[in-house]
Amino acid sequence: PLRMKIAWSVIRCTRSQPLPDAYDNKLPYSELSSMIVAMMTNRWICIINNWVEMVSARRANNPLSSSLLADPLATAPIIRMDEFTSKDPATRANVLRAVLTHFNLLAADASDAALAPALAVFDVHSQVGSKMSGPKATVVQPSDVDVICRCVQLGLARPAQDGQVVVGSEGSNVLIKGSLGVKA
């Protein structure tokens, strides 16, 4: 919308901080191409920070982490979408097995044949025929990518120092500690 473009132009010209950012790291949001991109970037960084803080606090307050009374969020498997939908069949099978085992839907020692029906779901493109499978509007511009990566590096600096996340590839890849599908 025109109003948003005008507001973003004013913010960029004055170099004011358009959004409250994660941990007041003065992230370079004003260098991004639009307010929408800045808001999406800020929200994603805040979500990762909030998740890490919440899980850490819940683990610290739950002495029963290995029992049936364990806090389900403190012990939940962490799955990145690229791990869950990996093209590598072994990675996908390992991640899916870990998830189904965590929720007691599959025995840890179950055969590959028992896992096969769950893996078969990935043989079907779930968005075929829907609007989601068609062309997408370009929101993030190529010039935004490097700025977003810098925002990620700065915005996730604290949990990275604490060993809760690994910010790799100069900000373009983030791993949360304990993420399934990642070989340590």
Side-chain angles (χ1 to χ4, degrees):
L2 182 60
R3 287 183 186 178
M4 193 175 284
K5 286 182 180 182
I6 292 169
W8 190 245
S9 295
V10 170
I11 289 169
R12 290 178 76 181
C13 289
T14 61
R15 292 282 187 201
S16 61
Q17 192 65 11
L19 300 167
D21 62 41
Y23 299 111
D24 297 321
N25 286 317
K26 306 299 181 224
L27 305 184
Y29 293 128
S30 63
E31 295 176 31
L32 293 166
S33 64
S34 71
M35 189 175 291
I36 302 277
V37 175
M39 289 167 50
M40 289 188 318
T41 302
N42 181 67
R43 186 70 189 134
W44 186 81
I45 291 169
C46 288
I47 286 169
I48 297 294
N49 277 311
N50 292 341
W51 174 261
V52 168
E53 287 175 359
M54 183 216 32
V55 169
S56 294
R58 290 177 79 130
R59 284 181 180 159
N61 293 323
N62 185 10
L64 306 171
S65 62
S66 62
S67 76
L68 290 175
L69 300 175
D71 181 334
L73 286 177
T75 59
I78 299 168
I79 308 166
R80 296 176 344 141
M81 185 56 75
D82 60 338
E83 296 161 357
F84 200 64
T85 60
S86 174
K87 299 294 182 201
D88 175 24
T91 298
R92 190 176 345 157
N94 289 337
V95 169
L96 190 55
R97 180 181 297 276
V99 169
L100 294 175
T101 300
H102 176 79
F103 292 108
N104 295 319
L105 298 171
L106 185 73
D109 59 351
S111 68
D112 290 344
L115 185 62
L119 285 170
V121 169
F122 293 95
D123 294 337
V124 178
H125 190 304
S126 64
Q127 297 175 352
V128 167
S130 76
K131 289 183 179 181
M132 293 185 73
S133 66
K136 309 289 187 279
T138 303
V139 176
V140 176
Q141 303 300 315
S143 61
D144 291 329
V145 175
D146 287 338
V147 180
I148 292 170
C149 288
R150 282 190 287 137
C151 289
V152 168
Q153 287 176 309
L154 291 168
L156 297 178
R158 184 175 295 164
Q161 287 173 341
D162 295 342
Q164 297 299 313
V165 300
V166 174
V167 178
S169 303
E170 297 180 349
S172 67
N173 197 1
V174 175
L175 296 173
I176 297 175
K177 181 181 177 181
S179 184
L180 297 177
V182 177
K183 295 176 178 116

